[in-house]
Amino acid sequence: MRFRAKMIDIGCFNHFTRVVNTISKLTKTCTLRLTTDKLYFILSDKVANGGVSMWCELSQGNFFDEFQLEGVSTEHNEIYMDLAAENLSRALKTAHNAKSLKIKLTNKHCPCITVAVELPSLSRVSRVVTHDIPVGVIPRKLWNDFKEPSVPDFDVSIYLPPLKTMKNVVERMKNLSNFLVLEANLNGEMNLKIETDLVSVTTHFKDLGNPSWGDNGSQDSTQDRDPETMMDVKVDIRKLLQFLAGQQVNPSKVICNIVNKRIVHFILLHEDVSLQYFIPAHE
Amino acid sequence: MKCVLAGSNVKAFGKAIHALSRVGEDLWLDPLEKGLAVRSVNSSRSAYACFLFSPLFFQHYSKVTTQQPLDEGDVEPVLKCKLTMKSVLPIFRCLATIERNVERCKIFINFRDSHVVFQFSCRHGITKTHNLGFQECESLQAVFPRDMCPNVLKAQARLLGDVVMHFPVWQEEITLAVTPVKVSFRNYFEEETDLTKVMHTEISLNPDEFDYFQVGVDSEITFCLKELRGLLSFAESTGLAVSIHFGTSGKPVAFSIDDMVLEANFVLATLIDTESQAASPKRPHRGTLLQSLAVMTQPTVPLAGEMELAELARTGHEGSIAMETSIPELPQALDREAELVISSQGSAIFNGKAARESVIACHWSEYGVGVHMDQIQEEAVGVVPATIGHNKVRTGCFYNHGSSHGDTIKQQDHPYFVNQVQLLRRGWTKVLCWNGVRGIQVSRLCLKGFSGVPCSSTHCCWRSPPSSVERMPWCCPAWCVPVTTRRSWRKERRSPARTLSLS
C-alpha cells in the first residue's frame, strides 16, 4: 500500500483545510477512503455515533497536484483507514501560508498519515513541519460497512434557509429542550419546533424552494400529496446543532430530505465537495 | 524600595508579571543596586524565571525606601519580599485597560506594615492603591554560568513564536535537537502515553534563520514548553530577541532576553536522557536545577544544605571577582580568593582584570598581533569600580581619555556604557555603546584601539559596520577604550564609505 500526494496551491490549502475542519467538527473519528480519483470521509451509522452518519466526497484532482495511490490489491485499488479528524485539522491549521504540502502514508511506530508542510523561512532553506497522524488501516473484509448511503425514499425535499440563521435559532432552542421537530412541505415552507411542559417555540421559514429531483422514484409518489402537508422528523437538537455549527465551507445550497418520522438527510454541495449527513429520528 | 513607572513601561511590567505567573505561584521582589529583580520559581524547582529592570526602566528608582539616617547600629534591611502570584496578577490582569488608563505606577515597600504598595495614578485623577502583604524571605537566585554553555542560539521572538505555534496549547514538553546543520523542535510524550494515539509534530529549521548559532556539541534537550510560553509572549510583544544557552540533556537551558533597560532569564531544567545512563534504566526524570548545576558551581560557593537552589545573600562586594571565559583554550584566570558574587541573572561571575587579559590574549593568538601586556595596562586607564554601578556585569564603562584619532571628542568624563562588543574578523571589534541618554552609538576599533593603545589607523572607530560580519556576542568586561561621540560618528558617515574588506 502506498499513498503520496502533494498540494501547492494556497487556495487549495485553504479549501481543503475548511473541509477538514468541518469534518472535525462533525465527528471525532472518521474513516478516510482513498481511491485514485476521490477522497471520502465516511462516518458509518453505528450505534456508537447515535445513528448519525456522514458521507463526504472530494475530487482529488481539484486539490492535489500530484496523487499516487497503490491500494491493498490491484482489483481493489483503494485504502480505508480510521483517522482522528481533529489531528488532521490541527496539522493543516498552520499551513495557510505554506509553500507546499505533502501527504503520505508511512509506517513509523505504527501506520501514519504524515503531513509535511513546507513553510517560507528567513533563510534559503524552507522550514519543514512534519506531523505524523496515527491511523488504523481497515482490512478489506470490513469495507462493506462503509458503503455509500443511498438517497432515502424521502417525502419532502427542500432547500434549507441560510445556515447561519438556522444555527442561531437552533442554538437558542437548545437551551429549552433536547429535541427539535423539523418539518417541511413541498411549498417551500419549513418549521422548527420545540415543545416542553412550559413553553413551545416555533420558527417559520418560507419561500425556501424545493429542489426537483428529475425522475427520481420518490418524486412520483409525492405528486399526489398535498403540497401543504408537513412532513416532520424529531431529532436530537445537539446533533442538528453540531451539523449546523460546524459548517465552514460556504455551500451554495443545502438540500434537506425528510422521511416522515424516520430520518432527515442533508446534502451540501459546494463546487467539488459534497457532504451528506443523516440524522435519524429520535425514538 | 521605591520606584515609579511611567506610561508604557507599566504595561511591560505587567507583561513580565504575566510571564512569571506561568512559572510559579510566588513572586520574589528583590531590589538591587542594578535594578529591581522580580523572580519566580515553580513548585518542583525545575523552572526559574527572573526579570531584572534596570533603574532606567523607571522614572525613579531607589533601593531603599527611607532616606532618613537610622539609629546607631541599625542598618536598614535591604528587603527582599515574596508575594503570592494570586495577589499580584489581578492587579496587572487587564493590560489593555492599564495601557489606556494608567499614567504612572508607584511601587514601594512599606516595611512597617509589611505591605508592598502598588499605586496607580490613572486618568481623570483617579488613584488606585493596592496593598499587598508580603513575606520576608531569603534571596532566590539560580546559579547558572551561562557562558559555559557549548550551545548558544539567538533568534527573534517571532521565529520562536512561529515554532511553538505548531504545538497545541496543552503540549507539556518539547524536545529541542541541534546539530551544526539543523535545529529541530518536536513534541515529547511521557513513556506511558499510547504512541499510537497521539500525533507527533516536528519542525526543523536551518541554522541561517538564527541571529546567532553556535553548536559546540550535538544535543537533544527536553524541557517544559508551558513555562516558556510566558517568556515567548513577552518577547514577541516587546520585539526583542531571545537567546538560548544550553548543553547536553540533563543540564539546564536558559532562555534570555537582553535589552538596555531590562533583562529576563528563564532557566529550565531538562530531562536526563536515560539512554545515556549506564546501569539501571530509569524513567526519564527532570533534573532539578540543583542537580544539573552542581557540576558547574564554583567549589568555593557553599550550597546551602536542603535548599534546591543556591540561595546566597548578596554581599555587594565590588572587589575583583572571578570569571571564566568560554574560550576553551585559555588558561583559567580565576581569582580564587575573591568573594564570589553570583549574578542574579545567572550570567558568569566576573573578573574584570582576568577577563581583560584573557580576552586580549585571545585576540592575540587568533590574529597574530603581538602587543606586550604591560604596554596595554600602562596605556589603559584604570577602571574605577565605583563608577561601574548597576551595569557591572553586563556592561562596562568607557571613558575617553584623549585620543589620537584627531577628532573632536567631547565630554571627556562622560561614561559610555557598553552594550555589546562584537569581535569581527581580522582583528576588528565593534563596540555598541550607549551614553545613558542618546541611544546606541557604534564604534569600530582595531585591536590597538580596543586595548586602549592609541591608534593612528584611519579605519579605526568610525566606519559604520558593513552588512555581513561574523558576530560573537560578548559580555563586555570593564576597561577603557577611546570612543567617539555621536557627532563625530555622524560626521564621518557623510564621507563616502570605504568598505573594509574582511575576507
Side-chain angles (χ1 to χ4, degrees):
Chain A
M1 275 192 295
R2 264 181 41 124
F3 169 59
R4 300 172 65 92
K6 186 168 166 184
M7 211 189 281
I8 53 179
D9 183 58
I10 288 204
C12 295
F13 295 151
N14 292 334
H15 193 28
F16 190 65
T17 307
R18 277 195 296 267
V19 173
V20 174
N21 286 344
T22 307
I23 307 285
S24 67
K25 297 244 163 60
L26 289 174
T27 170
K28 276 194 90 173
T29 52
C30 69
T31 304
L32 173 61
R33 174 184 169 195
L34 300 167
T35 64
T36 41
D37 42 47
K38 285 197 180 183
L39 280 93
Y40 301 84
F41 291 96
I42 306 165
L43 182 67
S44 63
D45 55 352
K46 300 201 182 65
V47 175
N49 302 325
V52 164
S53 61
M54 175 193 73
W55 181 272
C56 177
E57 210 171 286
L58 305 96
S59 258
Q60 62 86 352
N62 289 322
F63 294 93
F64 296 98
D65 259 45
E66 288 168 24
F67 195 92
Q68 294 157 25
L69 178 77
E70 272 169 34
V72 289
S73 62
T74 32
E75 335 61 277
H76 304 288
N77 199 16
E78 299 177 1
I79 305 178
Y80 283 65
M81 59 185 105
D82 273 328
L83 169 71
E86 195 235 348
N87 282 341
L88 187 58
S89 171
R90 214 154 33 88
L92 294 171
K93 191 170 69 154
T94 48
H96 52 264
N97 60 340
K99 283 156 79 169
S100 79
L101 188 114
K102 290 198 187 108
I103 303 184
K104 15 183 223 231
L105 183 62
T106 56
N107 197 345
K108 306 221 166 151
H109 41 273
C110 66
C112 288
I113 285 281
T114 297
V115 178
V117 185
E118 201 185 324
L119 293 166
S121 80
L122 304 166
S123 79
R124 50 186 167 78
V125 178
S126 319
R127 292 178 205 167
V128 179
V129 187
T130 320
H131 301 272
D132 294 314
I133 305 166
V135 296
V137 178
I138 298 174
R140 167 87 188 86
K141 56 182 191 272
L142 296 175
W143 286 10
N144 282 326
D145 293 349
F146 304 101
K147 282 243 220 344
E148 179 168 3
S150 46
V151 177
D153 217 4
F154 54 83
D155 298 314
V156 169
S157 178
I158 190 169
Y159 289 114
L160 283 185
L163 288 184
K164 214 165 162 215
T165 318
M166 201 169 157
K167 183 193 93 161
N168 287 337
V169 167
V170 176
E171 235 172 15
R172 303 288 178 274
M173 289 180 165
K174 186 185 78 153
N175 300 326
L176 298 168
S177 163
N178 284 333
F179 303 102
L180 177 142
V181 172
L182 197 138
E183 63 178 21
N185 65 16
L186 289 164
N187 232 2
E189 285 167 2
M190 174 189 272
N191 300 332
L192 300 174
K193 302 203 295 208
I194 54 163
E195 195 167 319
T196 67
D197 295 336
L198 297 172
V199 66
S200 71
V201 182
T202 308
T203 305
H204 305 266
F205 297 94
K206 51 187 193 175
D207 294 332
L208 294 172
N210 299 80
S212 57
W213 282 78
D215 39 46
N216 185 335
S218 34
Q219 179 79 341
D220 299 330
S221 61
T222 60
Q223 294 282 2
D224 317 321
R225 198 177 296 137
D226 173 16
E228 297 285 330
T229 323
M230 285 285 185
M231 297 294 150
D232 63 282
V233 63
K234 183 174 182 184
V235 295
D236 184 336
I237 210 173
R238 280 162 306 191
K239 299 212 169 55
L240 179 62
L241 193 56
Q242 204 175 14
F243 171 72
L244 295 170
Q247 292 311 313
Q248 300 210 340
V249 182
N250 259 331
S252 19
K253 280 286 188 197
V254 184
I255 298 171
C256 170
N257 296 334
I258 300 175
V259 177
N260 200 22
K261 311 252 192 285
R262 301 287 291 278
I263 196 164
V264 60
H265 171 218
F266 297 102
I267 310 176
L268 282 96
L269 291 163
H270 177 67
E271 297 175 359
D272 33 23
V273 180
S274 82
L275 175 73
Q276 296 180 55
Y277 199 71
F278 297 82
I279 307 179
H282 174 74
E283 293 312 312
Chain B
M1 190 274 295
K2 184 166 154 203
C3 61
V4 178
L5 285 158
S8 59
N9 286 354
V10 183
K11 187 175 175 195
F13 190 81
K15 273 199 196 298
I17 302 286
H18 278 245
L20 291 166
S21 68
R22 304 253 204 147
V23 174
E25 299 192 351
D26 289 311
L27 193 76
W28 271 260
L29 283 181
D30 192 357
L32 305 167
E33 279 288 346
K34 58 188 159 188
L36 177 65
V38 188
R39 306 189 181 108
S40 184
V41 72
N42 74 353
S43 49
S44 56
R45 300 295 212 223
S46 57
Y48 161 88
C50 172
F51 280 84
L52 176 75
F53 298 97
S54 83
L56 300 142
F57 183 76
F58 302 98
Q59 258 185 355
H60 166 76
Y61 174 78
S62 81
K63 205 176 84 171
V64 296
T65 313
T66 56
Q67 304 297 326
Q68 300 135 359
L70 298 158
D71 296 337
E72 190 191 299
D74 257 357
V75 176
E76 184 190 276
V78 176
L79 218 48
K80 295 168 218 309
C81 54
K82 185 163 90 165
L83 302 165
T84 56
M85 203 57 84
K86 269 202 197 132
S87 56
V88 184
L89 191 60
I91 300 175
F92 292 96
R93 167 97 58 204
C94 190
L95 294 170
T97 324
I98 287 181
E99 194 180 12
R100 263 201 313 270
N101 294 337
V102 175
E103 282 157 10
R104 231 171 45 248
C105 169
K106 186 155 80 167
I107 309 174
F108 60 93
I109 300 181
N110 182 344
F111 50 83
R112 229 177 314 116
D113 297 337
S114 297
H115 276 128
V116 174
V117 184
F118 290 82
Q119 193 172 71
F120 291 102
S121 309
C122 309
R123 282 193 318 178
H124 313 302
I126 298 172
T127 307
K128 287 195 229 180
T129 310
H130 302 267
N131 294 301
L132 273 60
F134 68 80
Q135 276 179 281
E136 260 187 65
C137 60
E138 282 303 312
S139 155
L140 171 77
Q141 296 185 19
V143 179
F144 180 61
R146 221 164 44 159
D147 296 335
M148 293 213 11
C149 290
N151 298 339
V152 182
L153 303 175
K154 185 166 176 182
Q156 291 302 315
R158 190 67 264 221
L159 174 71
L160 295 178
D162 284 346
V163 166
V164 300
M165 174 177 71
H166 291 94
F167 299 101
V169 175
W170 40 260
Q171 182 67 41
E172 290 264 354
E173 280 145 355
I174 59 173
T175 303
L176 163 62
V178 290
T179 67
V181 295
K182 190 170 103 149
V183 177
S184 72
F185 292 84
R186 54 178 190 266
N187 51 3
Y188 173 84
F189 296 97
E190 308 264 294
E191 267 176 19
E192 292 96 36
T193 345
D194 184 359
L195 294 174
T196 56
K197 295 264 166 47
V198 287
M199 183 164 107
H200 290 255
T201 303
E202 179 170 344
I203 171 165
S204 28
L205 304 165
N206 190 270
D208 289 348
E209 298 211 54
F210 291 85
D211 290 357
Y212 179 74
F213 183 83
Q214 173 193 307
V215 169
V217 52
D218 290 4
S219 73
E220 287 189 12
I221 50 166
T222 303
F223 53 87
C224 185
L225 177 62
K226 276 191 170 166
E227 282 149 3
L228 181 62
R229 279 187 194 266
L231 180 70
L232 292 182
S233 64
F234 181 85
E236 266 193 275
S237 62
T238 48
L240 297 165
V242 178
S243 308
I244 313 174
H245 294 253
F246 58 104
T248 50
S249 65
K251 306 243 165 53
V253 51
F255 293 85
S256 25
I257 293 177
D258 285 312
D259 181 52
M260 287 192 284
V261 295
L262 67 87
E263 273 174 48
N265 268 291
F266 274 54
V267 185
L268 304 174
T270 62
L271 285 184
I272 292 174
D273 182 12
T274 44
E275 276 155 19
S276 56
Q277 300 288 342
S280 55
K282 288 182 283 189
R283 229 193 122 241
H285 62 284
R286 195 189 299 281
T288 57
L289 286 174
L290 175 69
Q291 276 177 302
S292 342
L293 298 171
V295 179
M296 307 254 210
T297 49
Q298 298 300 314
T300 50
V301 170
L303 295 175
E306 299 295 298
M307 300 294 189
E308 300 257 56
L309 292 169
E311 295 185 357
L312 303 168
R314 266 189 68 249
T315 57
H317 280 232
E318 313 278 353
S320 67
I321 30 187
M323 167 182 146
E324 294 169 86
T325 64
S326 56
I327 305 164
E329 313 87 30
L330 290 179
Q332 302 284 345
L334 290 175
D335 190 351
R336 293 263 175 214
E337 294 111 19
E339 184 86 353
L340 291 169
V341 177
I342 313 297
S343 142
S344 61
Q345 273 53 61
S347 48
I349 36 188
F350 188 84
N351 175 343
K353 176 170 165 253
R356 186 165 51 202
E357 286 171 23
S358 54
V359 166
I360 292 170
C362 158
H363 287 190
W364 290 179
S365 64
E366 200 172 329
Y367 305 120
V369 180
V371 176
H372 203 262
M373 289 298 225
D374 292 340
Q375 186 186 2
I376 295 166
Q377 279 160 40
E378 254 173 78
E379 301 284 355
V381 174
V383 172
V384 181
T387 57
I388 297 173
H390 65 272
N391 288 329
K392 173 164 55 175
V393 177
R394 279 292 301 151
T395 65
C397 186
F398 281 178
Y399 287 89
N400 67 60
H401 52 286
S403 158
S404 65
H405 300 284
D407 225 13
T408 44
I409 297 175
K410 298 272 174 1
Q411 298 166 327
Q412 287 233 345
D413 295 321
H414 196 107
Y416 281 75
F417 302 113
V418 172
N419 238 322
Q420 202 178 71
V421 173
Q422 294 175 351
L423 295 173
L424 312 175
R425 270 187 283 189
R426 281 288 187 82
W428 286 85
T429 309
K430 180 165 92 170
V431 178
L432 293 150
C433 318
W434 174 71
N435 69 354
V437 174
R438 278 197 260 125
I440 290 192
Q441 311 191 16
V442 179
S443 305
R444 284 185 73 225
L445 309 166
C446 70
L447 273 177
K448 286 195 202 165
F450 188 55
S451 61
V453 175
C455 171
S456 55
S457 159
T458 48
H459 290 283
C460 186
C461 282
W462 303 325
R463 200 59 58 199
S464 52
S467 51
S468 63
V469 293
E470 216 174 82
R471 289 191 200 178
M472 270 173 64
W474 266 75
C475 293
C476 174
W479 57 58
C480 283
V481 285
V483 73
T484 56
T485 59
R486 192 178 180 85
R487 186 189 304 172
S488 56
W489 175 62
R490 244 191 287 145
K491 200 192 329 178
E492 190 56 38
R493 278 199 73 176
R494 279 192 240 116
S495 54
R498 260 176 293 161
T499 51
L500 200 65
S501 68
L502 287 183
S503 51

